[in-house]
Amino acid sequence: MSAKKSLKNIEWIIKILIFIFLVVALASPILIDKTNPLNRHGKDIVLAIDASGSMNSSGFAEDEEELKGKSRFEITKHIAKSFINTRQSDNIGVVMFGDFAFIASPITYEKNIIVDMLDLLTQGMAGQNTAIGEAIAIGVRAFKHSRAKSKIIILLSDGEHNSGTISPKEAVKIAKDKDVKIYTIAIGKKGEADESLLMKIALDSDAHFYYASNAKELKAVYENIDKLESSKIKSREYLLKDYLYEIFLLLATALLIYLIYREIKR
């Protein structure tokens, strides 16, 4: 076979490859990384935990040796950690509140980071009073970059709203405007927490109110919320996709330029 005929055959092969690459590019191939956490269709959840002076009280887990003698705050953190570890497909953040509220952990999929952060939090670090309105408002602010369709605040308190610059009524309106549901949990002895307020907050945001007089009941509350707000994993709507058509389009373009260059050289 002559060199001229061999080059002619190579040109035909290149033309065929250009055609194939263009067809593939038009088909728009997609690479889906199903192992990426962003492909998990979960919910964004903020745990708003009361860290006021009353949360230093003991006697909340007298029937459980593991937690006996610990404060309400320490027991709440312990149970919250268990809840966090069960929400495998969700992003979770933590808000602490006392005299004021602050985001202790931004919403993230990295559960170990949240658990480690909880270990560093102490009762009283936000003051001794109870700013429920600010807790909700800051909780809503934590969803600023959220793309989840379902946004949930789980607010736990053993006291009455008596601090902060934002009223619970104003805060609930902010939450409703952002389609955030607020599950509320009153803990401790009857009458310590403002149960009527917490119930109204939950009902006004299309969620539920719970009361827990001890650690065992609090665990059951979190389990109930876990069932009510179960998540589907890897929903098609949330699949992380890489579009590969550009690669094939570039290959076809490069080969076409090569053929044009050869024609010019002749």
Side-chain angles (χ1 to χ4, degrees):
M1 182 183 294
S2 66
K4 190 175 180 180
K5 191 172 182 181
S6 179
L7 286 172
K8 198 73 174 175
N9 287 338
I10 291 173
E11 286 183 4
W12 271 107
I13 292 171
I14 290 173
K15 289 176 182 177
I16 291 169
L17 286 174
I18 290 172
F19 176 77
I20 292 171
F21 289 154
L22 287 174
V23 169
V24 174
L26 286 170
S28 191
I30 298 170
L31 177 66
I32 297 175
D33 179 7
K34 292 187 177 181
T35 63
N36 194 297
L38 293 176
N39 281 332
R40 295 177 179 270
H41 177 196
K43 302 172 186 291
D44 281 359
I45 300 173
V46 167
L47 302 181
I49 301 173
D50 190 341
S52 62
S54 55
M55 288 293 285
N56 199 37
S57 303
S58 57
F60 192 61
E62 291 303 310
D63 296 334
E64 300 192 34
E65 286 299 322
E66 180 188 5
L67 302 173
K68 196 172 182 179
K70 292 184 179 294
S71 68
R72 291 176 184 173
F73 185 73
E74 290 298 322
I75 292 167
T76 296
K77 288 201 302 180
H78 177 82
I79 296 172
K81 289 176 190 176
S82 299
F83 176 79
I84 289 166
N85 288 325
T86 63
R87 306 298 298 190
Q88 292 299 316
S89 61
D90 299 320
N91 298 308
I92 295 178
V94 176
V95 166
M96 302 297 297
F97 66 99
D99 290 330
F100 59 92
F102 67 94
I103 298 173
S105 174
I107 295 172
T108 177
Y109 178 75
E110 301 297 334
K111 307 298 188 297
N112 58 320
I113 293 175
I114 309 167
V115 169
D116 289 344
M117 179 57 69
L118 279 174
D119 286 332
L120 298 174
L121 300 174
T122 58
Q123 179 276 323
M125 66 190 306
Q128 301 301 317
N129 292 307
T130 309
I132 290 175
E134 285 199 10
I136 295 169
I138 296 297
V140 173
R141 189 183 299 174
F143 294 110
K144 183 176 180 181
H145 301 293
S146 171
R147 295 183 179 179
K149 282 190 173 181
S150 184
K151 303 178 186 72
I152 302 160
I153 293 174
I154 301 175
L155 185 145
L156 177 146
S157 178
D158 70 343
E160 299 180 351
H161 171 75
N162 58 9
S163 185
T165 58
I166 302 173
S167 72
K169 185 177 180 180
E170 291 171 322
V172 171
K173 185 178 184 307
I174 293 169
K176 289 178 72 174
D177 288 343
K178 299 293 184 181
D179 293 323
V180 176
K181 291 197 292 186
I182 309 166
Y183 285 87
T184 55
I185 307 171
I187 68 169
K189 296 176 182 177
K190 279 285 186 181
E192 288 185 319
D194 190 341
E195 294 175 33
S196 60
L197 172 63
L198 294 176
M199 185 180 295
K200 181 169 176 53
I201 288 170
L203 292 175
D204 286 350
S205 64
D206 298 320
H208 295 274
F209 163 77
Y210 298 92
Y211 167 71
S213 62
N214 54 53
K216 187 176 180 181
E217 290 179 5
L218 182 56
K219 285 180 182 177
V221 168
Y222 275 110
E223 287 170 4
N224 189 273
I225 294 173
D226 183 56
K227 290 175 184 175
L228 284 174
E229 295 293 347
S230 60
S231 301
K232 295 178 181 178
I233 299 176
K234 294 176 185 173
S235 165
R236 291 181 182 178
E237 190 172 348
Y238 282 83
L239 287 174
L240 184 67
K241 302 173 183 179
D242 288 325
Y243 292 89
L244 306 179
Y245 70 91
E246 291 180 349
I247 296 172
F248 294 96
L249 196 57
L250 285 171
L251 288 171
T253 303
L255 291 176
L256 187 59
I257 291 171
Y258 172 74
L259 288 181
I260 293 171
Y261 172 75
R262 283 184 57 83
E263 284 296 323
I264 292 171
K265 287 288 286 182
R266 288 176 186 173

